[in-house]
Amino acid sequence: MHRRRTAVSALGHEVRALVDATVRTTAAPDALLRVAEGVRGLAAQLTGQRRARADIPVVDEFPDGVRMYSPVTGTGSPLAPPLEVTRLDGGVAGTCVLGIAHEGPPGYGHGGISAMLLDESMGWACATAGMPGMTVSLQMRYQRPVPLEAPLRVLAHVTGTEGRKVYVAGSITTEEDPATVLVAAEGVFVSPDPEHARALFPGLRDSGKTSAGRRARP
């Protein structure tokens, strides 16, 4: 498993580099077409059985561990920054750098990317507090633009619970100026009961796991 995860991460890293080069290039059309043909040939080398929509990747520890293809934290994902999450007292902290592929306004991150970073981090905070859950609502406050190519810090912590509901707050700052909040969020998450979890995630039926959580790095 370690060798496969290492290979998945290596491919993810290189594809992220290709994505970055793709969105930055000013190469001539003929060069772009040649590269497109080469990429088509590379994709053809990824043979074998393809994972179906509801399949859990063999390299994952779903629901409470490694998610190699997460678009936020997955080192195997060409979409992820990727965010590195660390457990804190009462919550989590994440660090990442957004690239040009995550651009909204020129030079700054897309608002949807900020929401994705916070949603993921707030979900990790729920799991770290022992109440893994799924997002019910997420309220965003965009206070300042989020710069690209700058180290970011994403914080999230549980503010309260009510039955299976978990209330969470989160924020994005730069590591250079952690006192200035760029984006703030408040969310409500719900821990699904075992029967609902089995219906949502049929791949878990054989494992006996029924939560929908995440595990942060210690």
Side-chain angles (χ1 to χ4, degrees):
M1 184 62 72
H2 173 73
R3 185 167 183 268
R4 177 171 285 276
R5 285 179 176 167
T6 298
V8 166
S9 293
L11 179 58
H13 175 79
E14 297 304 331
V15 175
R16 284 192 294 275
L18 175 61
V19 169
D20 184 72
T22 298
V23 298
R24 288 178 183 271
T25 186
T26 58
D30 287 347
L32 297 179
L33 291 171
R34 285 196 302 272
V35 172
E37 183 64 28
V39 172
R40 187 179 301 114
L42 290 174
Q45 296 181 41
L46 298 177
T47 58
Q49 184 176 357
R50 292 181 178 268
R51 180 163 58 94
R53 183 185 68 86
D55 291 346
I56 298 172
V58 295
V59 290
D60 278 8
E61 295 174 354
F62 185 80
D64 57 358
V66 175
R67 301 295 308 283
M68 294 294 293
Y69 296 110
S70 163
V72 182
T73 60
T75 57
S77 170
L79 307 177
L83 183 74
E84 295 187 7
V85 181
T86 303
R87 188 181 294 115
L88 299 176
D89 289 341
V92 297
T95 57
C96 71
V97 175
L98 297 181
I100 299 298
H102 304 116
E103 189 174 57
Y108 298 97
H110 192 288
I113 298 296
S114 295
M116 187 167 66
L117 292 175
L118 283 163
D119 180 50
E120 180 78 3
S121 299
M122 293 161 77
W124 280 64
C126 292
T128 299
M131 295 188 68
M134 301 178 68
T135 314
V136 172
S137 69
L138 190 64
Q139 295 183 323
M140 308 291 298
R141 296 190 302 279
Y142 296 92
Q143 298 173 186
R144 286 179 170 83
V146 175
L148 301 177
E149 300 182 330
L152 302 177
R153 186 170 175 83
V154 186
L155 297 175
H157 65 279
V158 172
T159 60
T161 61
E162 181 184 339
R164 292 190 293 110
K165 288 185 179 179
V166 187
Y167 299 90
V168 193
S171 62
I172 299 176
T173 69
T174 61
E175 289 197 345
E176 182 181 11
D177 183 12
T180 301
V181 174
L182 306 178
V183 184
E186 295 179 350
V188 180
F189 290 69
V190 170
S191 295
D193 59 53
E195 183 178 352
H196 190 199
R198 283 192 293 269
L200 287 171
F201 311 112
L204 290 179
R205 286 177 175 167
D206 294 334
S207 68
K209 297 180 180 179
T210 55
S211 63
R214 305 155 171 91
R215 184 170 62 218
R217 297 190 311 168

